[in-house]
Amino acid sequence: MMGSVSEGIGLNDSSLVASVITGAVLSSLVWYFGDWGGSAVVCSLFMASVVFISIWVLLVREDFFSWPHPALWRVVMATSVLYSMLLTCMFWLPPKQARMVLNFVDPSVGIFPAPHEKGYGENCALTFDNISENMIDVFFLAHLLGWCFKALIMRNRSLLWLQSIIFELIEESVKSVLPNFNECWWDRWVLDVLVCNLVGMEIGLFLVNRFAEPFNWFTLTPDRANTPDEELRVPSFLTSRKHFLTVCFVVGIGPFVDLINFFLKAVLFIPAVSPLVPYNLLLVGLPCLVGAPEIYATLSESGHFGIGRQGVVLLYNVIMELAISWKLSSDTFPANGLQAIPVVARALWTLALLLLLGFTAILPFGRNEKVPSSFASKRKVH
């Protein structure tokens, strides 16, 4: 016998209340700010998005996170799906029209050439004035807060340091293509790595240790009764191909997403001070708060790689951002853009990739090993 409609949704369901509150708050913002720069199109699309998100919150029931409320993470998932639709639409548009889509929200976007960004490598004299000028900068604070947020996602100090060093090496390699990466040595390795990255990740890890559970990406705890002592002394990601590939994916995806973000900003002619920049970071960053724990939960429970629903949508969005960047790069960068990357850098990255593939090939698939962790024992986490 079919159940009543009230059994499916329930008038007293907290999700219904959360959906109504979400719709009311967002609608109030539109009412307060008017029609967003005189564009009725932006306002109408925004309201359509509110309806979509509200319906998603009501209908979707499975949630990976339950704190502070499942409805919050349903909103994040719904927003990710909307972002997927936007990226797909932009990919199939001609370059000029793709850029002008964002111009409805921010009139400064899509205009070539984009406003000149601050040059961080123009004066590399190691003086107090130069250092203080770079530190008293909104992007310095944004950099620090960004690494704090990454720590909340990855929850592992060693993995964060790997991502930090890899991205700085990537910056050094492609600075001839993206001038924004052209920094002084003390800016890159002292202010960026030893100040912003270090302080940001330590603040984030403090919050993780205080309110959540750290992730041990590199060493899953096997069955000690049936594992030789010599294997117990070796991190499990070096003894299992599945575990090793999972760690490589997690380590590499962070710097890759950051790099694509800079390329996307360049090809769409988005100024560094545009409000679209933090919006994009939130559209990618908030889903990562769910995507990374999904991967870790699968690794902890079965010892192999797996991504959940939020991770699938997030991966699609990253692929589409890469596709848009590649498509629009022809009229943004010179024809020899990739050739502008130093030969030594290209050779070293190629060698590193070949060594990584070779090491992966000789690894065994490994046993299914599980982490005796409260995180791995429950699918709904805090």
Side-chain angles (χ1 to χ4, degrees):
M1 180 180 296
M2 295 180 59
S4 64
V5 175
S6 60
E7 292 176 352
I9 297 180
L11 294 178
N12 295 324
D13 192 343
S14 59
S15 298
L16 178 60
V17 177
S19 179
V20 172
I21 292 176
T22 301
V25 170
L26 296 179
S27 300
S28 300
L29 290 175
V30 174
W31 179 268
Y32 179 78
F33 288 107
D35 57 356
W36 288 16
S39 175
V41 174
V42 173
C43 186
S44 60
L45 289 176
F46 182 83
M47 293 309 301
S49 300
V50 170
V51 173
F52 177 85
I53 294 173
S54 301
I55 293 174
W56 188 286
V57 171
L58 279 173
L59 298 183
V60 174
R61 290 297 178 184
E62 296 182 9
D63 303 291
F64 193 82
F65 278 161
S66 59
W67 185 89
H69 192 281
L72 171 64
W73 304 108
R74 296 174 197 171
V75 170
V76 171
M77 179 69 173
T79 308
S80 297
V81 174
L82 286 172
Y83 187 49
S84 301
M85 297 177 183
L86 174 63
L87 291 174
T88 304
C89 176
M90 291 180 62
F91 176 77
W92 292 105
L93 288 173
K96 184 176 180 180
Q97 294 182 22
R99 295 183 177 106
M100 295 310 295
V101 165
L102 301 179
N103 188 264
F104 281 108
V105 180
D106 183 359
S108 66
V109 173
I111 300 175
F112 183 83
H116 178 67
E117 296 184 358
K118 178 180 178 180
Y120 291 94
E122 296 176 357
N123 185 0
C124 290
L126 189 57
T127 63
F128 176 79
D129 290 339
N130 283 343
I131 295 176
S132 59
E133 181 183 356
N134 283 2
M135 293 186 68
I136 305 175
D137 188 296
V138 64
F139 298 108
F140 181 87
L141 178 61
H143 192 155
L144 189 150
L145 293 177
W147 275 96
C148 178
F149 193 79
K150 289 180 182 180
L152 298 178
I153 296 171
M154 297 304 177
R155 307 191 193 182
N156 183 281
R157 182 176 286 102
S158 299
L159 189 142
L160 288 166
W161 273 112
L162 280 174
Q163 290 186 334
S164 173
I165 299 301
I166 289 174
F167 185 72
E168 295 302 330
L169 294 176
I170 291 175
E171 278 191 329
E172 184 66 30
S173 301
V174 302
K175 65 182 181 182
S176 56
V177 180
L178 290 175
N180 184 248
F181 286 170
N182 188 20
E183 300 173 327
C184 303
W185 67 267
W186 48 265
D187 190 3
R188 184 185 309 282
W189 297 109
V190 179
L191 295 185
D192 283 1
V193 176
L194 297 181
V195 178
C196 290
N197 298 7
L198 174 61
V199 174
M201 69 175 67
E202 289 302 325
I203 294 175
L205 291 173
F206 171 79
L207 296 175
V208 168
N209 291 322
R210 179 68 176 84
F211 299 105
E213 180 179 341
F215 292 164
N216 191 356
W217 292 97
F218 299 96
T219 304
L220 302 182
T221 304
D223 181 4
R224 294 182 175 274
N226 300 316
T227 304
D229 291 340
E230 59 272 15
E231 290 189 20
L232 293 176
R233 291 191 292 267
V234 180
S236 57
F237 87 104
L238 295 177
T239 61
S240 168
R241 186 184 304 174
K242 293 179 291 186
H243 189 179
F244 182 75
L245 289 174
T246 301
V247 171
C248 289
F249 175 82
V250 175
V251 170
I253 193 66
F256 182 75
V257 169
D258 290 340
L259 180 65
I260 294 303
N261 179 266
F262 280 98
F263 270 104
L264 193 67
K265 186 178 70 171
V267 300
L268 292 175
F269 307 152
I270 300 178
V273 295
S274 170
L276 291 178
V277 174
Y279 294 163
N280 175 259
L281 294 177
L282 288 176
L283 286 171
V284 177
L286 288 178
C288 288
L289 284 172
V290 181
E294 284 179 341
I295 296 176
Y296 185 75
T298 303
L299 179 66
S300 302
E301 294 170 357
S302 61
H304 62 76
F305 175 77
I307 57 178
R309 294 180 306 167
Q310 180 66 84
V312 170
V313 178
L314 179 60
L315 186 60
Y316 174 82
N317 291 346
V318 172
I319 292 173
M320 289 306 301
E321 287 184 344
L322 173 62
I324 293 173
S325 299
W326 183 269
K327 179 181 177 180
L328 302 185
S329 63
S330 59
D331 61 349
T332 305
F333 304 111
N336 62 341
L338 293 179
Q339 284 72 23
I341 299 176
V343 176
V344 175
R346 283 182 281 166
L348 290 176
W349 282 113
T350 302
L351 177 61
L353 180 60
L354 292 176
L355 291 175
L356 187 65
L357 293 175
F359 182 76
T360 304
I362 64 176
L363 283 176
F365 277 99
R367 302 184 286 277
N368 286 343
E369 298 166 345
K370 300 182 180 181
V371 173
S373 163
S374 59
F375 185 91
S377 64
K378 54 187 178 182
R379 296 299 296 180
K380 284 195 175 184
V381 296
H382 300 281

